[in-house]
Structure formats: C-alpha cells, structure tokens
Amino acid sequence: QVQLVESGGGLVQAGGSLRLSCAASGSIFSSSIMGWYRQAPGKPRDLVATIWIGGGTNYADSVKGRFTISRDKAKNTVYLQMDSLKPEDTAVYYCNAKPITAEYWGQGTQVTVSS
C-alpha cells in the first residue's frame, strides 16, 4: 500500500523558514514525479513545486527564489525548504506522487505564517 506521510508544518512569523518532509512508502518513489501543492481556505489546491525523476524542478511564480524542492532517494523522501515566508503562504500543504499510471496524496500539513 502506498503512503505519503508529511511532516514539518507549523506556525512561523513572516520572514521565517520551515522545511516540510514527505516520506514515501512502497516502491513508487524512484519512479514518480514528486510535488508539493497547497490549499488555502476557500481556494483551489495549487501546485507549489515539482521535482522530476531526473532531478529537474519547477516552481509556481509566487514561490520562486524562496522555496526549494529536493529529493533524497536513499530515504525515499522529498523536501520543501520554505524561506522568507509570507502570510499569503498560509495553507495546508500536500505531498503528491505521480508514477506512470496513478496519483497519490498525503494527508496534508498546516503551515501558518503570522504577520
């Protein structure tokens, strides 16, 4: 059974940093495009960052230069380093895995940035 378990969310002041982690079980990690999405109250779930199997990355314009996505193949874990956080980054952050024929989501972790 595939599981994605996120951790690292919390409350931080504007300008601060957090690092989110997503541990993937099963054999999907090495064959999946991994990503982070976020959803604020009353808004749709939006893509934040993607890391491809080969290591290439893509970011939403709103987080470019502030967030960094990375993956540790030995630990089957993907990270989202978030720096210079803003109140508008407040949302539930979800880990996503896309192997060839499926899609999986984590349970989400709350990130709250106070002004």
Side-chain angles (χ1 to χ4, degrees):
Q1 183 178 358
V2 174
Q3 280 191 314
L4 301 175
V5 180
E6 299 115 331
S7 60
L11 173 64
V12 64
Q13 288 188 331
S17 298
L18 284 174
R19 188 176 80 155
L20 306 183
S21 300
C22 171
S25 66
S27 60
I28 65 166
F29 187 80
S30 61
S31 61
S32 296
I33 299 168
M34 302 296 296
W36 287 96
Y37 289 70
R38 67 186 180 187
Q39 187 169 21
K43 295 188 176 182
R45 189 174 297 186
D46 292 327
L47 177 65
V48 175
T50 300
I51 185 163
W52 305 90
I53 295 171
T57 58
N58 183 62
Y59 297 92
D61 288 343
S62 59
V63 306
K64 281 181 181 176
R66 300 188 298 121
F67 290 11
T68 303
I69 189 170
S70 61
R71 61 195 297 166
D72 185 331
K73 296 178 181 178
K75 296 181 178 180
N76 285 355
T77 299
V78 62
Y79 303 98
L80 186 68
Q81 177 67 41
M82 304 185 295
D83 298 318
S84 302
L85 282 160
K86 304 175 181 180
E88 51 264 43
D89 294 318
T90 295
V92 178
Y93 283 70
Y94 296 91
C95 180
N96 176 272
K98 292 189 181 71
I100 297 175
T101 59
E103 184 172 24
Y104 302 96
W105 293 93
Q107 81 285 356
T109 185
Q110 177 71 46
V111 171
T112 303
V113 185
S114 62
S115 57

